[in-house]
Structure formats: C-alpha cells, structure tokens
Amino acid sequence: MLASIAQIVHLRHMKIADADILIIPGYQGSPKGHWQHGWAQKMPTAQIVEQDNWDKPDLQSWVENVHQAVLMSTRPVVFVGHSLGVTTIAHVAERLTDSKVAGALLVAAPDLDQKKGIPKQIKGFAPIPHNPLPFPSSFIASANDPFCSVEAAAEMASAWGSAFNVPGELGHVNPASGFGAWPEGLMAFANLMKKL
C-alpha cells in the first residue's frame, strides 16, 4: 500500500512534490515499524524532523528544530504530527509569521492536563496552546487513546480550528496499538492534500 502514496495523492489532484512534508514524531520518536517512519521513506519530499533527544523531550529545543525545518523548506510545508509531535506543532504555530505552512495532519495528541497516565517526561510541553492554527488542519483522534479522551481531543480540535475525526478505537495509533503502514491514515492525508 505504501508504494502507492504518490499515486493516491496524484489521483486526488495534488502532488506530494508540491510540498515539503515535515513529519513530526512524538515522545521516543517514530522507530522502524511506525507509520510515520514508513511514510518518510516512501514520500519523495518527506523528512522526519530529528530531535536532539527523543527520550527526554525539551519544549524549546523541539520547537526550535521544527521551526528551523520550516524556515529551511523551499516549498509549502505540510506537517504530519503524531502524539507529542502534535503538541509541538501547536507551539511552533505560535511562532509562524508567514503562510509557508499549508496544512497539517494531526494524529493522537496527548492531553497534557490529564492527572494520570501521561509520562512525566512530556509534562513540560504543557500548557497546550489553544489559539487557532494559522493553517488548515485535520485532527484524527482515537476513541480509546490512553493518553487523551475524545472530549479533550475535540476541545483541542475546536480551539485549533481543525477538522475533527474519530474513526474508531485506534489506541494511540502506534505500533503498540497494531499500526504499521496505516493505509486509512494515508487516505486521510490524501484527503487533506486535496483540500490544500
């Protein structure tokens, strides 16, 4: 399925080649087997934005690295964020002063206001920005994400002005939840690209 990413997006009348796809992983990164890792390998204009330490996230460092990746991009940027990567994108959005970012696919953002279940290593990313994002976005949440309730996800999506979708019980939409290539996510990405 991943081999046909470019074909899928082309059928949607939008070319991946028209954008720099910046993939923003969350806490502990997106190792081999994670859908973000697979997408980065298969999309010709995609890259994972690397962080200094995936296991000890630092808000300022992560935001700066993503912001620099945006500034270095030569085409319109489309973010693909997962988990703490989504929170990072929301923080980066507060720094953006131009329209270089064309859109974002946001997947399984954590609710950092939860009192339990959130790793202490990521608490420094709170509070979550609640300003509207200055670009179109699509937020995919899971009905049984251990790190975020549907209600909290809906609140974030509403604050950010994101299209909101809960396609079912997907866990945290990671390999531990059984997600490798995640073709349904790929279709959601293609739909977002079509709208940009």
Side-chain angles (χ1 to χ4, degrees), residues 27-28 82-84 87 108-120 122 128 142-150 152-153 156 171-174 176-177:
Y27 173 53
Q28 298 183 324
H82 176 252
S83 191
L84 193 61
T87 312
D111 176 11
L112 299 180
D113 295 330
Q114 272 190 172
K115 301 302 181 202
K116 59 181 181 177
I118 296 294
K120 64 182 181 186
I122 71 173
I128 300 166
S142 166
N144 64 340
D145 190 333
F147 303 115
C148 189
S149 68
V150 172
M156 281 184 266
H172 195 51
V173 200
N174 58 5
S177 304

Side-chain angles (χ1 to χ4, degrees), residues 78-159:
V78 178
F79 288 130
V80 177
H82 176 252
S83 191
L84 193 61
V86 174
T87 312
T88 303
I89 290 168
H91 282 288
V92 169
E94 297 190 321
R95 285 190 178 196
L96 298 174
T97 57
D98 61 26
S99 59
K100 195 176 217 180
V101 177
L105 179 67
L106 311 172
V107 182
D111 176 11
L112 299 180
D113 295 330
Q114 272 190 172
K115 301 302 181 202
K116 59 181 181 177
I118 296 294
K120 64 182 181 186
Q121 293 90 335
I122 71 173
K123 296 255 184 187
F125 283 65
I128 300 166
H130 278 82
N131 297 322
L133 298 178
F135 44 78
S137 59
S138 179
F139 188 138
I140 297 176
S142 166
N144 64 340
D145 190 333
F147 303 115
C148 189
S149 68
V150 172
E151 293 77 16
E155 192 175 300
M156 281 184 266
S158 177

Side-chain angles (χ1 to χ4, degrees), residues 173-188:
V173 200
N174 58 5
S177 304
F179 288 88
W182 194 33
E184 297 85 0
L186 185 57
M187 291 305 298

Side-chain angles (χ1 to χ4, degrees), residues 39-50:
W39 291 15
Q41 289 187 317
K42 298 292 184 182
M43 292 184 192
T45 63
Q47 64 167 315
I48 290 176
V49 176
E50 294 294 336

Side-chain angles (χ1 to χ4, degrees), residues 57-77:
D58 175 76
L59 175 62
Q60 294 309 318
S61 172
W62 279 38
V63 167
E64 183 60 29
N65 288 337
V66 173
H67 191 225
Q68 282 301 313
V70 171
L71 294 176
M72 297 296 291
S73 295
T74 58
R75 293 168 286 225
V77 168

